[in-house]
């Protein structure tokens, strides 16, 4: 379900009001098409500025035929407000308004009035509750801003037809992890598959009992510390069982009820397993948190090439108002920035050693961390992001993302 920018089709609508046409707009349109080559998205356009409603309708029909994922409405000058609302309603895709700064005023007529065009049309789309966003500028930085907006579009598109397995439901008392299956399907196109813990565990037991070595290549390079050969074999058998379950139900991701029963039923906990599944490309959330798992998937799509990490905020520096401590019991995948990584046993619930959890212990090196949280917006899930700097034991908030996924 990974969608790259190359797979996006983006309509380009360069609007000019008839009384403002002066020849400069066509030159500018050609310049912009050249700048769009840096977006790595397929740009769908008419090859001309759009002045009349007939020309606009021709473009919209083309966008419809090509099934574009978003439309860039570029106000090369002021333009009438009837075209864009009708197009947005007809196409049903996000609109990116692009306005350019006004040239220095020489005392005569203003030359573009571009921002006013966006202001009028944004009001109309807001009243119609249709999705839109806004970019202001005229240089490469404006195209870069458009690229960031399109990455959000690509991320949402990447969720379509995603199938997530809910293994055991959510953990007790975690009401924030409740979710609406139909809302997920209607909003993002995500399907969920209800699975019992017993089904996966029984499959793992059969693999464990077989004479062949369980297949878990992501675990093989990881060193062990204070765990038995039997525990390591159980972990690998459980990993293979989840991979086979994913194949059986055509699953792309998991949300696992990792406590309180799992270690009692199978003999080991699943913290290390969750880390291995994420490393292997199956986005997997802890504690049966389905919305958290969706947020992880969105994060992986917004930051291509990086693997998500489901964690808790456990403390912060109240005086500095910036130091954050993040923790999750060994469910971390294994990106290249980790200084060390090894399998380790720890007694998660202060029980006897045989019921200890297996975790991946690791320390991240310095670098940026993109953090995301899921929150409500108009009764639908929204993804908020920020970037943190990983240092020695804390992460300091550096800057906030500008976009939300709705």
């Amino acid at each position: 379900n990974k969608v790259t920018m190359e797979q996006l089709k983006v309509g380009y609508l360069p609007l000019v009001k008839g009384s403002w046409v002066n020849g400069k707009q066509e030159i500018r349109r050609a310049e912009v098409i050249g700048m769009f080559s840096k977006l790595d998205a397929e740009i769908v356009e008419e090859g001309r500025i759009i002045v009349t409603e007939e020309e606009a309708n021709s473009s919209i029909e083309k966008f419809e035929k090509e099934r574009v994922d978003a439309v860039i409405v570029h106000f090369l000058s002021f333009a009438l407000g009837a075209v864009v609302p009708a197009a947005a309603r007809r196409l049903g895709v996000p609109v990116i308004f692009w306005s350019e700064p006004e040239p220095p005023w020489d005392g005569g007529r203003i030359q573009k009035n571009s921002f006013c065009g966006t202001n009028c049309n944004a009001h109309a789309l807001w009243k119609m509750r249709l999705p839109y966003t806004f970019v202001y500028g005229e240089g490469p930085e404006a195209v870069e801003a458009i690229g960031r907006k399109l990455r959000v579009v690509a991320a949402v598109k990447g969720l379509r037809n995603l199938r997530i397995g809910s293994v055991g439901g959510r953990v007790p008392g975690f009401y924030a992890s409740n979710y609406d299956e139909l809302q997920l399907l209607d909003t993002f196109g995500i399907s969920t598959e209800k699975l019992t813990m017993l089904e996966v565990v029984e499959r793992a037991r059969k693999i464990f009992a077989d004479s062949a070595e369980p297949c878990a290549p992501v675990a093989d390079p990881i060193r062990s510390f204070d765990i038995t050969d039997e525990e390591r074999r159980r972990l690998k058998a459980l990993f293979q069982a989840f991979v086979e379950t994913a194949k059986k139900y055509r699953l792309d991701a998991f949300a696992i009820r990792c406590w309180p029963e799992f270690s009692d039923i199978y003999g080991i906990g699943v913290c290390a397993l969750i880390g291995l599944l994420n490393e292997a490309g199956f986005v997997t959330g802890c504690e049966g948190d389905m919305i958290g798992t969706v947020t992880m998937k969105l994060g992986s799509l917004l930051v291509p090439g990086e693997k998500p990490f489901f964690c808790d905020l456990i403390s912060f520096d109240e005086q500095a108002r910036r130091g954050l401590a993040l923790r999750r019991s060994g469910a971390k995948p294994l990106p290249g920035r980790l200084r060390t990584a090894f399998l380790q046993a720890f007694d998660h619930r202060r029980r006897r050693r045989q019921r200890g959890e297996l975790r991946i212990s690791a320390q991240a090196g310095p670098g940026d961390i993109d953090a995301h949280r899921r929150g409500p917006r108009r009764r639908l899930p929204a993804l908020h992001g920020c970037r943190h700097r990983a240092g020695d034991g804390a992460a300091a908030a550096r800057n906030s993302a500008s976009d939300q996924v709705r």
Side-chain angles (χ1 to χ4, degrees):
N1 292 88
K2 182 179 179 181
V3 175
T4 62
M5 291 282 283
E6 292 87 344
Q7 294 172 285
L8 282 184
K9 284 189 175 183
V10 181
Y12 176 55
L13 203 62
L15 297 181
V16 182
K17 190 173 183 288
S19 58
W20 295 67
V21 176
N22 58 21
K24 295 180 181 180
Q25 294 98 348
E26 181 55 44
I27 296 173
R28 176 60 177 159
R29 183 203 66 81
E31 290 176 349
V32 167
I33 293 299
M35 294 166 66
F36 279 162
S37 63
K38 296 182 179 180
L39 293 178
D40 293 326
E42 181 181 344
I43 303 298
V44 180
E45 56 128 8
E46 290 278 271
R48 63 185 179 187
I49 60 173
I50 305 301
V51 180
T52 67
E53 288 194 26
E54 290 77 15
E55 291 170 346
N57 190 61
S58 175
S59 291
I60 295 165
E61 288 179 352
K62 187 172 186 177
F63 297 162
E64 219 169 20
K65 182 179 178 181
E66 294 289 337
R67 301 182 69 180
V68 298
D69 301 294
V71 174
I72 300 170
V73 178
H74 188 184
F75 288 97
L76 293 171
S77 78
F78 181 78
L80 297 177
V83 170
V84 177
R89 170 63 70 189
R90 181 171 168 182
L91 295 171
V93 299
V95 171
I96 301 174
F97 288 120
W98 181 9
S99 286
E100 297 188 353
E102 191 69 28
W105 187 54
D106 59 4
R109 176 183 175 181
I110 57 176
Q111 299 180 43
K112 289 187 177 180
N113 206 21
S114 173
F115 180 75
C116 185
T118 286
N119 196 27
C120 292
N121 284 273
H123 172 75
L125 265 59
W126 176 75
K127 291 285 286 184
M128 297 169 71
R129 297 189 177 183
L130 295 176
Y132 69 90
T133 186
F134 173 59
V135 169
Y136 186 71
E138 58 185 352
E141 71 283 352
V143 176
E144 290 175 6
I146 290 172
R148 290 193 293 271
K149 309 289 186 182
L150 291 178
R151 181 167 292 176
V152 176
V153 176
V156 174
K157 185 178 179 180
L159 295 178
R160 295 177 190 169
N161 303 316
L162 185 73
R163 291 179 57 82
I164 305 177
S166 173
V167 182
R170 65 161 173 81
V171 298
F174 278 46
Y175 304 114
S177 298
N178 291 335
Y179 67 97
D180 186 324
E181 291 181 75
L182 288 178
Q183 189 184 48
L184 275 181
L185 184 61
D186 180 53
T187 305
F188 294 120
I190 298 172
S191 299
T192 58
E193 184 75 32
K194 302 287 189 181
L195 303 171
T196 66
M197 203 177 295
L198 182 62
E199 177 180 354
V200 181
V201 167
E202 283 301 309
R203 185 183 293 268
R205 284 172 176 163
K206 291 177 181 178
I207 296 170
F208 178 79
D210 193 276
S211 59
E213 181 69 13
C215 181
V218 292
D220 291 338
I222 307 176
R223 295 177 296 160
S224 297
F225 178 77
D226 193 30
I227 70 170
T228 66
D229 291 340
E230 177 185 335
E231 288 173 324
R232 189 179 184 96
R233 182 180 174 86
R234 282 189 181 278
L235 173 63
K236 294 177 67 175
L238 190 58
F239 175 88
Q240 182 179 332
F242 269 88
V243 172
E244 291 179 359
T245 301
K247 183 177 180 180
K248 176 181 177 181
Y249 293 101
R250 297 174 290 111
L251 301 175
D252 308 288
F254 290 102
I256 302 175
R257 179 181 169 115
C258 49
W259 61 273
E261 309 95 346
F262 214 114
S263 58
D264 291 327
I265 293 173
Y266 186 63
I268 62 171
V270 294
C271 291
L273 167 78
I274 292 172
L276 295 179
L277 286 171
N278 279 301
E279 178 66 17
F282 294 98
V283 169
T284 304
C286 304
E287 297 168 338
D289 192 333
M290 180 63 68
I291 299 300
T293 303
V294 172
T295 305
M296 290 172 68
K297 181 64 178 179
L298 276 169
S300 70
L301 291 166
L302 288 169
V303 190
E306 297 291 337
K307 295 183 174 66
F309 174 30
F310 191 106
C311 64
D312 294 328
L313 289 173
I314 60 169
S315 67
F316 66 96
D317 187 332
E318 186 175 7
Q319 292 183 340
R321 300 183 64 82
R322 65 172 188 168
L324 302 175
L326 309 175
R327 176 185 178 273
R328 173 54 65 196
S329 303
K332 186 84 171 68
L334 305 171
R337 281 200 291 116
L338 292 185
R339 294 173 180 167
T340 60
F342 51 88
L343 285 171
Q344 182 182 20
F346 76 111
D347 198 345
H348 191 271
R349 291 178 293 134
R350 299 184 182 276
R351 292 194 174 189
R352 55 195 177 92
R353 171 66 182 81
Q354 287 82 352
R355 297 300 184 194
E357 304 281 350
L358 298 185
R359 68 179 177 184
I360 296 173
S361 295
Q363 182 179 3
D368 288 338
I369 299 172
D370 290 289
H372 307 277
R373 71 175 177 84
R374 187 269 305 166
R377 184 174 176 85
R378 294 182 181 175
R379 300 190 304 277
L380 296 178
L383 179 71
H384 308 268
C386 59
R387 176 157 288 185
H388 303 279
R389 173 68 64 176
D392 294 328
R398 198 161 70 90
N399 65 284
S400 296
S402 60
D403 293 305
Q404 293 179 345
V405 177
R406 294 200 292 272

